Amino acid sequence: MELIIGKELKKDYQTGEVAIHALKGVTFSIPKGAFVAIVGPSGSGKTTLLNLIGCLDRPSAGRLMVAGMDVTSFGKTDAAIFRGKHIGFIFQSFNLIPVLTAYENVEYPLVMVQNISASSRRKQVQDLLAAVGMGDQQKKMPDQLSGGQKQRVAVARALVTHPELVLADEPTANLDHDTAMSILALMKQIRKELDTTFVFSTHDSRIIGEAESIYRIEDGFLKTNGNGGGRGHD
Ligand code: ADP
Ligand code: MG
């Protein structure tokens, strides 16, 4: 089953007089449960594509389906509700809330969710912190954690609402090689346990080798599409 289907997706940015054609018509599909790397040089359109899939921005043309919904022309409110239900985000710069503990950062997305008791919320947060290897760091503030530890907390936060899809824009770019590999291994392990679909962008060739499918983007066009195409040629 396809979780994400993009058809002739285009995205233009208007900056003053000049239009930048960031995506020039990309067609692709990503099956449920996939572990996908979107790769390409800086400025090729990776973030733009992830932002569209994550309903953080709207395509200028084309059609986009995510989790069985046509999200192409979602307004701000529909997009926000959809994201809350279906998508978890992991960022390059971790984006933890600095005044909240590790525990509170992971709990945060659940605070908005109705119909969940305090005790099951606590259990969910604690289980996930344990799963990412941060069970004994719950009370630490973000500035007391290393980069790798922060990203572990961010992975837990992205998963706490049990989204079908996790999007990660260069999640390992600020991490050293060993830490980056351990975050990748963590994402893979969780994906196996929870059947979560992961789509992440990277231009680190060592990370690319860990992906199962590679979608290579260059100058706004998709060059290879899925199933390891182009693997090992970054
Ligand atoms: P990548 O993530 O692969 O580095 P991006 O998707 O960020 O690439 O950018 C693709 C192109 O779109 C680049 O030329 C970039 O300068 C341009 N771009 C991205 N975001 C904006 C924006 N908000 N306004 C104008 N141009 C943008
Ligand atoms: Mg980017």
Side-chain angles (χ1 to χ4, degrees):
M1 191 194 120
E2 305 301 332
L3 186 68
I4 307 166
I5 300 170
K7 285 191 180 141
E8 281 301 311
L9 278 184
K10 294 183 183 171
K11 179 67 187 179
D12 302 327
Y13 295 110
Q14 199 67 40
T15 54
E17 302 280 281
V18 191
I20 293 167
H21 306 293
L23 294 178
K24 299 172 179 170
V26 298
T27 297
F28 64 97
S29 63
I30 295 176
K32 192 167 160 42
F35 196 75
V36 171
I38 297 175
V39 307
S42 177
S44 56
K46 301 183 295 296
T47 296
T48 300
L49 182 57
L50 283 173
N51 286 348
L52 295 184
I53 295 171
C55 302
L56 293 165
D57 206 352
R58 274 199 299 206
S60 308
R63 187 145 176 257
L64 180 61
M65 309 278 297
V66 181
M69 294 280 285
D70 188 335
V71 304
T72 315
S73 358
F74 264 2
K76 281 203 158 74
T77 309
D78 285 341
I81 293 168
F82 184 81
R83 285 196 302 270
K85 264 197 200 146
H86 297 281
I87 306 176
F89 292 90
I90 299 169
F91 302 94
Q92 176 178 337
S93 47
F94 322 127
N95 291 18
L96 299 182
I97 299 171
V99 296
L100 299 183
T101 64
Y103 177 92
E104 290 163 341
N105 265 282
V106 177
E107 182 189 38
Y108 189 75
L110 279 185
V111 174
M112 333 278 189
V113 177
Q114 313 275 313
N115 306 322
I116 172 167
S117 70
S119 61
S120 65
R121 193 164 76 204
R122 171 164 286 274
K123 181 169 171 11
Q124 236 164 287
V125 174
Q126 284 173 340
D127 286 353
L128 262 174
L129 277 164
V132 299
M134 293 292 289
D136 53 356
Q137 314 278 334
Q138 300 188 19
K139 294 196 172 127
K140 292 256 176 83
M141 304 303 285
D143 65 7
Q144 297 175 295
L145 301 173
S146 70
Q149 289 175 323
K150 281 185 211 162
Q151 201 60 309
R152 285 173 181 274
V153 173
V155 170
R157 177 184 58 184
L159 290 161
V160 77
T161 55
H162 293 301
E164 298 161 83
L165 174 62
V166 171
L167 298 175
D169 196 3
E170 310 228 16
T172 60
N174 289 337
L175 303 175
D176 63 60
H177 176 62
D178 289 352
T179 311
M181 294 315 253
S182 75
I183 292 292
L184 254 281
L186 174 66
M187 283 169 30
K188 271 189 169 171
Q189 171 210 326
I190 281 167
R191 170 264 194 146
K192 220 161 75 187
E193 281 164 21
L194 303 178
D195 199 27
T196 314
T197 306
F198 277 87
V199 181
F200 62 98
S201 70
T202 186
H203 55 249
D204 182 340
S205 53
R206 296 165 304 188
I207 299 296
I208 295 166
E210 293 297 305
E212 285 167 13
S213 310
I214 294 160
Y215 292 64
R216 189 171 299 270
I217 191 164
E218 250 171 65
D219 192 27
F221 289 109
L222 215 50
K223 296 288 178 182
T224 52
N225 191 340
N227 293 329
R231 188 168 176 154
H233 293 283
D234 192 52

